[in-house]
Amino acid sequence: MKHLAAFAIALLITTPAFAHHCPADMAAIDAALAANPQITAEQLAEVQTLRADGQTQHEAGDHDASVVTLAKAMQILGIQ
């Protein structure tokens, strides 16, 4: 029982640290774009818009929305 309680406390403490990975997602998108992905011009424009929107959301403190927005860009790039 003591181990279970320790595990639960550790999980609660570490979960917020991993919950918002916006900067890592933005870096992954930037790296994928630098590698000249084989996507259409329309997809490229959408990825660039999503990347910019995700950064704006992140800077505004809306990390949940940022993660969702950046995930859409990553899906287009095939890097999830």
Side-chain angles (χ1 to χ4, degrees), residues 8-70:
I9 291 170
L11 184 63
L12 289 172
I13 292 170
T14 59
T15 299
F18 294 110
H20 302 298
H21 43 81
C22 313
D25 289 352
M26 288 185 276
I29 292 167
D30 293 343
L33 288 173
N36 297 319
Q38 298 299 311
I39 58 176
T40 66
E42 182 178 294
Q43 289 172 315
L44 176 61
E46 185 174 2
V47 167
Q48 290 171 331
T49 299
L50 289 167
R51 164 60 172 85
D53 291 349
Q55 182 171 355
T56 300
Q57 291 164 334
H58 170 73
E59 291 171 352
D62 193 356
H63 299 287
D64 292 334
S66 178
V67 168
V68 171
T69 300
L70 295 170

